[in-house]
Amino acid sequence: MTQIKVVYTKYGGALHWNHPGTLLGEDDHGAWVSVPAGTLASKGAEPPVAWETAIVMLFPRDGWWTATFHTPPHPFEVYVDVTTVPLWRGGEVTMVDLDLDVILMRDGRLLLDDEDEFAEHQVTLGYPADVVARAQETARRLLAAVGHREAPFDGAHVPWFDRALPG
């Protein structure tokens, strides 16, 4: 297992969420990363915050998204960021956060979040039309996949949690 840095930026290059993680391995879905409870994460230049629960993240090889699977009691079960394709350079994975988020709540509700931020950033950050279309299509497909528990949202993360969590 290798220590890595997870770095999200905003369109135009501004630093967004960033934190350390541990590369657990890869499978057909992509690369799996463990982030233990208590990990310090920063949003841009803001002071760091500690993650309250452990997570396992999935970075697909060619998908316009990243997924975070949360342990209880976190209210989110699955949180999928619509992003550019994750890029690996050395010990770092980077991607541009495109605002839209597909969230499966632990109580079963399925949400598409931050549509207002996405609309605002199309203007203020100058998203190109092809990026807008790709993000919208990705969000639509993710809503269906997460809602129907299609792979990799079908429990594919469980064996990776078993590797990451002690006991």
Side-chain angles (χ1 to χ4, degrees):
M1 293 190 281
T2 304
Q3 293 300 305
I4 66 156
K5 184 156 185 169
V6 176
V7 179
Y8 288 86
T9 63
K10 286 307 220 175
Y11 197 83
L15 187 60
H16 194 46
W17 283 107
N18 59 99
H19 56 81
T22 302
L23 179 62
L24 297 171
E26 294 187 46
D27 65 11
D28 292 342
H29 304 299
W32 294 87
V33 172
S34 168
V35 182
T39 296
L40 295 179
S42 296
K43 186 176 183 181
E46 295 176 16
V49 296
W51 287 156
E52 293 181 15
T53 59
I55 60 175
V56 168
M57 302 182 79
L58 172 59
F59 298 96
R61 287 178 194 81
D62 59 3
W64 277 59
W65 55 270
T66 64
T68 303
F69 301 87
H70 294 267
T71 55
H74 198 284
F76 300 155
E77 184 174 338
V78 180
Y79 192 102
V80 188
D81 287 285
V82 174
T83 68
T84 58
V85 175
L87 298 175
W88 291 86
R89 289 186 191 97
E92 185 172 281
V93 59
T94 63
M95 57 254 104
V96 177
D97 181 292
L98 296 171
D99 311 313
L100 296 173
D101 305 304
V102 174
I103 304 168
L104 177 62
M105 304 295 291
R106 201 154 299 282
D107 66 10
R109 289 178 292 141
L110 182 63
L111 313 168
L112 178 59
D113 197 27
D114 291 336
E115 291 178 279
D116 54 342
E117 184 179 344
F118 180 67
E120 177 185 327
H121 285 167
Q122 288 175 52
V123 176
T124 62
L125 298 178
Y127 291 174
D130 62 325
V131 170
V132 171
R134 187 67 177 259
Q136 290 171 325
E137 172 61 19
T138 298
R140 185 191 65 71
R141 283 187 290 107
L142 287 167
L143 276 167
V146 173
H148 292 106
R149 304 287 178 130
E150 296 170 4
F153 309 107
D154 60 350
H157 65 286
V158 172
W160 297 101
F161 263 130
D162 291 346
R163 279 189 182 184
L165 298 176

